[in-house]
Amino acid sequence: MGRVEDHLGDRLRGRAIPDDLRRLAELELDGVLRGQGSVPPFAEVHVLTPGQLHPLLDPQYQQGEQDPGVIANNRAIDEVLGHMAVVVDGFNGDLFGYWLHPDEPATDRPAIVRLDTEGQFAVLEGETLVEAMIFDWLGYDVDQDYFARVVAFCQRHQIPLTAGSRDELRKPEIVVDPGILHDQLYRRYQPFTTRPPWADTVGAQAAADEHIALVGLRITDAPLRTWLARLGYPDPAATIATLDDGLGEVRLKPVVANADLTLYQDEDHDWWLFSVRFRRPTPQHPLQVPLPYGFSLYDSRHAVHDRFGVPHSSALLLAVDCWQFGPIVAYVRFDKDQGFVTYIEFWPSDVARRS
């Protein structure tokens, strides 16, 4: 055992220490990594020792939290971190490590993963930890003069660095994405989504006006139950029970209509319609269903603006406009070349959309 092996301990779980990590540890032990003359990101990097807790790993960081959503999020983060070889306390308080999920193929170059202080996991581009951290620090608008200083620091201290630009970075191919895994685990630990308090009012309106979006209604509410039966779900509870995997979310794609439905489960275990997306009928999905509020899938962007006025918000580059009808958002995507509606989606404006 050498001094680097002693410094890292079992953090790599028996794997060989990559050359760049070994050099970082040596420079840390020599007082160079964060010493005088260092440059970011290295000046903010600390190679963790055995048993040393990063602030995002420290149980004290999570104590006192009583909110079920926070507790579920912490549990999900902990479980994802169980598949990481955590090695570096990096810049901005972020945590860096190697992705060692058991479903990933054996390799001596596992993907580099970052956990930030917002609790978000990201797989970084780069062949090595050093490359991933450098270009994560630099961002996409790379300051070439500063990058030259970083390269000079690496050359001066024999830190392996082969990528000369972001275009040269390896893009990892992974089987299990840590961000998606975190989201799935969070949903499993906190599967319920509160039904909006205004939903009963919308239900009463929908009973009298078929042009009201049915977002927020329970599958047992008559307007939604009737509409689901028309889409091929005469017993939506049975359909959902078949599809439910404990995450509190089920997505339906009817055979008869070109629509996508997302349903959430609330604390009372009732299922309710969170969102619905409409596209034009096709030979495979021939049923044309009336759209809420008088929208049409055959309008141009100009025609939609004439009908509904100035959008609540717009994304010009993406050709997307949003209108708000009380507590419900209508999200309209247009074809950027022809300018006609691509799809129209409705969801609550005051309920967080799951990724």
Side-chain angles (χ1 to χ4, degrees):
M1 295 286 287
R3 61 175 188 153
V4 171
E5 286 77 8
D6 291 340
H7 185 85
L8 289 169
D10 62 352
R11 288 195 169 275
L12 291 175
R13 307 178 190 180
R15 290 171 174 258
I17 300 173
D19 292 341
D20 62 317
L21 177 59
R22 177 177 291 277
R23 188 59 185 143
L24 290 181
E26 290 172 345
L27 293 174
E28 170 128 5
L29 291 166
D30 292 338
V32 174
L33 195 58
R34 305 177 74 168
Q36 187 175 4
S38 185
V39 296
F42 299 111
E44 298 182 39
V45 165
H46 170 57
V47 181
L48 296 168
T49 58
Q52 185 177 16
L53 289 175
H54 183 280
L56 296 178
L57 298 169
D58 190 342
Q60 298 296 322
Y61 184 79
Q62 302 175 1
Q63 279 190 4
E65 298 289 1
Q66 300 299 321
D67 182 88
V70 174
I71 294 171
N73 186 51
N74 288 339
R75 288 184 65 189
I77 288 174
D78 286 345
E79 193 159 334
V80 176
L81 286 172
H83 301 300
M84 279 180 63
V86 175
V87 292
V88 165
D89 178 355
F91 47 88
N92 300 325
D94 294 347
L95 181 67
F96 294 84
Y98 299 95
W99 187 235
L100 304 180
H101 192 279
D103 289 347
E104 301 295 335
T107 175
D108 61 351
R109 293 290 186 185
I112 308 303
V113 175
R114 180 196 67 216
L115 171 63
D116 66 25
T117 55
E118 299 297 319
Q120 302 294 315
F121 288 92
V123 177
L124 303 181
E125 296 180 353
E127 183 76 15
T128 66
L129 175 67
V130 162
E131 288 183 358
M133 289 195 301
I134 286 175
F135 284 93
D136 188 45
W137 167 265
L138 290 170
Y140 283 88
D141 187 14
V142 176
D143 183 325
Q144 294 300 326
D145 290 337
Y146 189 81
F147 179 57
R149 290 180 58 196
V150 173
V151 171
F153 181 84
C154 290
Q155 292 174 343
R156 187 163 61 250
H157 296 289
Q158 296 84 51
I159 302 174
L161 175 64
T162 57
S165 69
R166 180 170 291 279
D167 292 339
E168 296 177 17
L169 294 178
R170 176 177 72 101
K171 296 175 175 57
E173 295 183 3
I174 57 174
V175 176
V176 179
D177 185 287
I180 294 175
L181 178 60
H182 169 261
D183 183 58
Q184 292 171 339
L185 291 168
Y186 172 76
R187 295 186 205 179
R188 189 170 300 281
Y189 297 140
Q190 178 68 7
F192 305 121
T193 304
T194 301
R195 184 169 166 262
W198 45 259
D200 288 335
T201 301
V202 170
Q205 294 173 338
D209 185 353
E210 65 176 3
H211 298 296
I212 297 297
L214 302 181
V215 168
L217 271 64
R218 293 176 291 247
I219 61 172
T220 53
D221 292 333
L224 181 56
R225 189 174 66 247
T226 300
W227 188 67
L228 289 173
R230 185 179 181 189
L231 294 181
Y233 303 107
D235 188 354
T239 301
I240 290 172
T242 301
L243 298 174
D244 178 24
D245 55 6
L247 301 181
E249 176 178 328
V250 164
R251 298 174 188 259
L252 303 178
K253 188 170 183 61
V255 173
V256 295
N258 199 5
D260 300 284
L261 288 68
T262 301
L263 297 108
Y264 286 169
Q265 189 177 32
D266 68 15
E267 295 87 343
D268 297 323
H269 296 265
D270 291 327
W271 288 90
W272 57 279
L273 182 65
F274 171 76
S275 69
V276 56
R277 175 181 293 186
F278 298 94
R279 295 184 179 87
R280 293 183 187 180
T282 66
Q284 295 77 25
H285 309 283
L287 180 64
Q288 183 162 338
V289 294
L291 269 61
Y293 311 113
F295 278 96
S296 171
L297 291 162
Y298 298 93
D299 278 343
S300 66
R301 195 174 194 179
H302 180 75
V304 179
H305 283 219
D306 282 347
R307 181 173 300 138
F308 296 103
V310 177
H312 181 74
S313 62
S314 294
L316 297 179
L317 293 178
L318 297 176
V320 171
D321 293 322
C322 294
W323 285 267
Q324 193 155 344
F325 299 87
I328 297 175
V329 170
Y331 176 101
V332 186
R333 182 72 180 262
F334 300 90
D335 178 88
K336 288 191 288 186
D337 295 326
Q338 301 298 323
F340 287 94
V341 172
T342 301
Y343 63 78
I344 304 173
E345 186 169 4
F346 301 88
W347 69 75
S349 63
D350 57 349
V351 178
R353 183 181 182 83
R354 291 176 171 179
S355 58

